[in-house]
Amino acid sequence: MCKKEYEGLPREDIMGENPVLVAASAPGKCILFGEHAVVYGQPAVAVAIEQRLTVSMSSALTWSVDGSALDEQKHPHITLLRDTWLKHGQPMALHVSGDIPSASGLGSSAALSAAVGAAMHHLAHPEKGIDRDGLSAFAHRAEAHAQQGRASPMDASTSVEGGVVVLSDRREAHGRWLYTRRLSTPEGERRWEVHGIAPPEDDVYLVLGNTGVHAPTARQVAMVAEALKSKPSRMQEIQAIGTVARRGLAALVDGDYEAVGHAMSENQILLRNLGVSSPELESLIRAAAPTALGAKLTGAGGGGCMVALTRHPKQTSEAIELAGGRTLVSKIGNTGVRLDKRTDSIP
Ligand code: PMV
């Protein structure tokens, strides 16, 4: 298991002399169905995981992140948020902690944008609650900027809203419609309808297995775009992923987790054929299979993480670790961005 670096509310003694004024946390995410195809308007389902990122802020003489000066190149999301909310305000020292591994497809950068955005918005407008629509729109823009203009709002909306989030190019019958997101991508205008669903609870777990191989999302997404451009008939594969995602979504809404697992494994076959899996992912997926209801890669693939749906998290986790993966275990659907410490008398 990945060791938790830090748990619970930030302690003031780790922040230096000044007390923590505000702390906010946001969850990572895991995609159950529909990655890559969602970029082309097919439905996709993502889940907020238990692993969270926490940011705490205390007043300081200059802006800093974990003891280093705030740097636009290193911290583009934080700089943009600072300029939006607190450009002329009191400088802050930010401390970031949590247990979402970075650059592994679990949405750590969207969680950072969500948590920092919520904390800064609270400092700027302590009288207002979290503006989830505005915050997820901002986090989506930041993701799109980092992925050369190709990003669905999946990470941002799941981290901000929590629970289980469904994206599609149309309003779906299942779930509560939240908002529409639009983006101008190199391949044209994109639109997503974002929904939240609340599947029936059951004794099932997600085990995430990290290959430790870094494969940038932008590269994977560009590879699929290239494959479709050179052979447009491959759009059928994208549509097939959409069909499986829709079936998986219906099973999730019914609480039929056996059928959810089956759809996940079918989704994996299609992702493998699309060319976005890897030998490392395949080996962890194979290791999980005997104790899981279903398993697939999650996120952009090529490396990063796989996810198994299981009723036996300990056995599944051990099997994945024996095959060389590092694991995290999560229930399905966790709280979205939240303020963990707030203050109403900001200097
Ligand atoms: O690698 P991640 O977790 O950011 O997921 C990427 C999911 C894609 O569908 C491949 C891209 C996107 O923006 O939806």
Side-chain angles (χ1 to χ4, degrees):
M1 302 259 175
C2 292
K3 187 172 160 295
K4 284 196 179 180
E5 284 167 24
Y6 184 76
E7 221 170 351
L9 277 178
R11 294 197 322 269
E12 290 172 14
D13 58 346
I14 60 169
M15 294 294 296
E17 282 155 33
N18 293 326
V20 172
L21 292 176
V22 59
S25 65
K29 70 96 204 15
C30 148
I31 301 174
L32 286 189
F33 303 108
E35 46 273 271
H36 287 291
V38 70
V39 176
Y40 301 89
Q42 297 294 331
V45 182
V47 169
I49 55 174
E50 278 169 44
Q51 289 67 32
R52 302 182 77 80
L53 179 146
T54 299
V55 61
S56 45
M57 293 171 52
S58 50
S59 44
L61 294 176
T62 55
W63 281 94
S64 68
V65 180
D66 290 332
S68 314
L70 177 61
D71 174 348
E72 196 173 346
Q73 302 298 312
K74 226 166 107 192
H75 312 113
H77 300 192
I78 299 179
T79 311
L80 203 58
L81 283 160
R82 190 269 316 265
D83 293 348
T84 307
W85 295 116
L86 299 172
K87 196 170 175 70
H88 306 293
Q90 156 80 49
M92 293 282 156
L94 276 68
H95 178 76
V96 181
S97 57
D99 49 9
I100 311 173
S102 62
S104 42
L106 297 182
S108 65
S109 63
L112 179 68
S113 294
V116 172
M120 289 189 178
H121 180 261
H122 175 66
L123 289 179
H125 298 289
E127 73 292 354
K128 293 187 184 163
I130 295 180
D131 165 16
R132 292 185 191 271
D133 188 349
L135 195 52
S136 62
F138 178 89
H140 178 214
R141 278 201 300 281
E143 292 289 291
H145 181 69
Q147 285 176 211
Q148 281 109 51
R150 290 185 188 101
S152 75
M154 184 118 72
D155 286 26
S157 288
T158 310
S159 190
V160 169
E161 305 292 342
V164 180
V165 167
V166 177
L167 256 60
S168 174
D169 62 350
R170 64 191 87 147
R171 288 201 192 188
E172 295 290 332
H174 298 303
R176 191 168 59 92
W177 177 81
L178 297 170
Y179 35 71
T180 305
R181 289 283 178 262
R182 291 189 168 79
L183 186 72
S184 228
T185 74
E187 284 78 37
E189 294 297 312
R190 294 276 179 261
R191 195 191 88 213
W192 295 272
E193 303 296 342
V194 183
H195 315 69
I197 59 164
E201 283 186 23
D202 200 341
D203 199 23
V204 286
Y205 297 83
L206 300 173
V207 179
L208 297 151
N210 194 343
T211 60
V213 177
H214 179 50
T217 299
R219 194 187 73 198
Q220 293 290 108
V221 173
M223 194 174 87
V224 173
E226 196 48 51
L228 292 170
K229 203 170 137 205
S230 59
K231 198 167 176 212
S233 64
R234 294 195 72 184
M235 193 51 91
Q236 280 172 7
E237 296 175 39
I238 297 289
Q239 284 155 359
I241 293 178
T243 303
V244 170
R246 230 172 252 293
R247 198 181 315 135
L249 169 60
L252 196 58
V253 169
D254 287 348
D256 181 351
Y257 287 97
E258 274 68 21
V260 173
H262 193 249
M264 286 169 68
S265 298
E266 272 187 88
N267 193 162
Q268 173 59 22
I269 296 172
L270 296 168
L271 287 165
R272 186 195 300 146
N273 291 345
L274 194 60
V276 294
S277 194
S278 75
E280 294 84 357
L281 283 164
E282 291 296 328
S283 141
L284 301 190
I285 291 165
R286 257 196 319 276
T291 58
L293 300 173
K296 61 183 273 295
L297 66 83
T298 182
C305 288
M306 50 71 71
V307 58
L309 181 74
T310 179
R311 295 192 190 279
H312 310 286
K314 191 164 177 291
Q315 283 98 311
T316 306
S317 184
E318 279 169 4
I320 295 172
E321 296 227 346
L322 268 177
R326 298 191 69 191
T327 59
L328 295 166
V329 179
S330 173
K331 289 288 284 178
I332 292 182
N334 293 276
T335 316
V337 70
R338 64 172 183 232
L339 289 170
D340 294 318
K341 180 184 167 105
R342 49 192 298 157
T343 179
D344 295 322
S345 55
I346 291 152

